[in-house]
Amino acid sequence: MEADLNRIQSEALAETHAAGDLRALESVRVKYLGRSGDIPRLSEGMKSLSKEERPRFGRLLNEVRTAVTAALDVRAAALESERDAASLAGLDPTLPGNHAFRGTLHPLTQLQDRAIQILRHMGFVLADGPDIETEWHCFDALNTPPDHPARNEGDTFYLPDGRLLRSQTSTVQIRTMCAQRPPLRIIAPGACYRRDEVDATHLSQFNQIEGLYVDENVSLADLKSAVEMFVRGIFGEDAEIRLRPHFFPFTEPSYEVDVRAAALGGKWLEMAGCGMVDPAVFERVNEVRGDDAYDPERVTGFAFGFGLDRLAMCMSALPDIRLLIENDLRFLAQFPR
Ligand code: DAH
């Protein structure tokens, strides 16, 4: 049996060295160390030895098992590193990697996010409404008479069923008041549509951000300070506002807001419309609600509407509004964030 042991050891070591890949090496391991392999088989055969012979043979057997196991491990490590080296062949790890292109948010999205953030700090919450609107929400409820030029086919996109693409986000004022009781303090950013000839300052789709605050005792002073605070948040603490009397059907009195700031080149620029909600608007809302939640004797409110694209143009001194929709990366990459 001892001779068997020596033969097995030298064969096992020779086959281990000869194994050309990990799979061949595994069959060598199974052949000698596996459950019915040669070494366990000899271990089994020890039973037939005399009591005196057994310990010596047991020790020899252990030495062989240790030597074969060690040789298998060494060969496995060598074969693994050969395999890794082969898979890296032809690869130069010192070459520079591929640069991953990282996009940025569109400048209008950045500006809208910032506007929302400022108005949220002032207690306004987001409100929403559909782009496809009824004539009632877009005009009648906003106290716009049937013969008003904005209601013209030439100014507004009408659908065959009589609905239209909203020409202003003021529609969201109506939708929110119809659904919720005062007090109410909302902002509604979103797209608007007009049949304008597209040029450097007009698009047929543009963006507004609308604000509405209704409660008891809301005053023109509240309107002025809210608009001022918002404008300072956007253009800097030195920004000043000027309210110029104007007319909107849904506010009385109504104003246009001019802004002057160093960031805008120090010139007065027209930026928004605003005013105190006309009692007639509250009455239209009450009619639909069937209550007097918006009793004009009890509640007052202010509203404002900023053109987001116009804000972006003024802020970044853009010469042409169309830059905002052309998706030219050379332009967009100038607004990293
Ligand atoms: N909706 C107006 C427009 O598109 C802007 C506007 C003016 C909104 C006065 C208002 C407002 O909420 O009170 O020109």
Side-chain angles (χ1 to χ4, degrees):
M1 270 180 82
E2 216 175 302
D4 277 353
L5 205 50
N6 287 331
R7 184 182 46 77
I8 285 171
Q9 168 159 358
S10 51
E11 278 175 17
L13 295 182
E15 285 176 39
T16 298
H17 290 301
D21 57 33
L22 287 162
R23 189 156 357 141
L25 190 66
E26 176 61 11
S27 39
V28 176
R29 198 190 62 79
V30 170
K31 179 172 171 195
Y32 293 98
L33 295 173
R35 209 181 309 165
S36 48
D38 288 353
I39 292 175
R41 202 160 36 73
L42 282 178
S43 172
E44 202 52 26
M46 260 168 68
K47 284 182 195 143
S48 64
L49 294 176
S50 70
K51 235 179 167 173
E52 294 73 40
E53 284 175 311
R54 242 182 252 173
R56 206 178 76 83
F57 186 79
R59 212 176 48 244
L60 286 173
L61 188 67
N62 266 339
E63 281 170 19
V64 171
R65 185 188 283 118
T66 308
V68 172
T69 305
L72 282 166
D73 288 350
V74 168
R75 185 69 187 138
L79 287 172
E80 272 165 22
S81 62
E82 267 175 36
R83 181 194 57 189
D84 291 349
S87 69
L88 291 176
L91 193 88
D92 181 355
T94 65
L95 285 174
N98 289 328
H99 178 68
F101 178 74
R102 184 139 172 252
T104 61
L105 291 176
H106 191 279
L108 278 179
T109 308
Q110 293 184 30
L111 185 59
Q112 179 173 300
D113 287 352
R114 189 144 146 234
I116 292 171
Q117 194 185 24
I118 295 164
L119 289 159
R120 274 220 177 109
H121 275 299
M122 293 163 61
F124 288 82
V125 297
L126 274 176
D128 202 4
D131 290 19
I132 297 177
E133 263 297 4
T134 66
E135 233 184 313
W136 186 81
H137 285 93
C138 197
F139 295 124
D140 300 293
L142 286 160
N143 198 35
T144 309
D147 58 354
H148 192 282
R151 300 183 71 144
N152 229 306
E153 293 263 349
D155 279 357
T156 298
F157 294 104
Y158 284 89
L159 275 64
D161 67 4
R163 289 183 303 164
L164 49 79
L165 295 181
R166 69 178 178 194
S167 56
Q168 50 187 352
T169 44
S170 306
T171 52
V172 185
Q173 295 185 24
I174 303 303
R175 291 208 167 255
T176 312
M177 287 193 283
C178 285
Q180 290 173 39
R181 304 181 65 86
L184 202 79
R185 193 156 24 174
I186 55 146
I187 38 167
C192 301
Y193 309 82
R194 288 184 199 170
R195 273 188 117 106
D196 278 330
E197 198 69 51
V198 173
D199 62 23
T201 52
H202 296 86
L203 292 173
S204 50
Q205 180 185 336
F206 55 101
N207 300 276
Q208 291 187 334
I209 185 157
E210 189 87 11
L212 171 71
Y213 178 28
V214 183
D215 200 350
E216 291 176 12
N217 300 317
V218 176
S219 72
L220 185 54
D222 296 326
L223 166 60
K224 198 173 171 200
S225 64
V227 170
E228 193 170 69
M229 224 169 145
F230 173 66
V231 161
R232 289 194 172 156
I234 295 276
F235 296 111
E237 282 307 310
D238 70 312
E240 302 167 84
I241 61 163
R242 173 169 87 177
L243 298 188
R244 225 172 347 93
H246 195 71
F247 174 79
F248 296 104
F250 38 90
T251 41
E252 180 58 37
S254 303
Y255 303 92
E256 277 188 333
V257 183
D258 296 339
V259 181
R260 183 165 70 176
L264 298 172
K267 279 185 305 214
W268 285 109
L269 293 171
E270 182 202 322
M271 205 103 356
C274 69
M276 301 304 292
V277 179
D278 194 305
V281 173
F282 288 143
E283 266 150 18
R284 301 277 155 76
V285 168
N286 284 336
E287 276 161 33
V288 168
R289 292 179 55 93
D291 62 14
D292 64 350
Y294 289 87
D295 178 1
E297 296 297 319
R298 203 170 45 80
V299 296
T300 47
F302 70 66
F304 58 83
F306 279 84
L308 203 64
D309 313 70
R310 181 152 173 76
L311 278 185
M313 285 182 77
C314 293
M315 230 169 132
S316 309
L318 305 182
D320 195 316
I321 195 172
R322 288 169 288 200
L323 287 166
L324 292 170
I325 56 162
E326 280 167 353
N327 287 337
D328 185 334
L329 289 180
R330 291 168 304 179
F331 169 71
L332 297 174
Q334 294 176 49
F335 301 86
R337 187 166 81 170

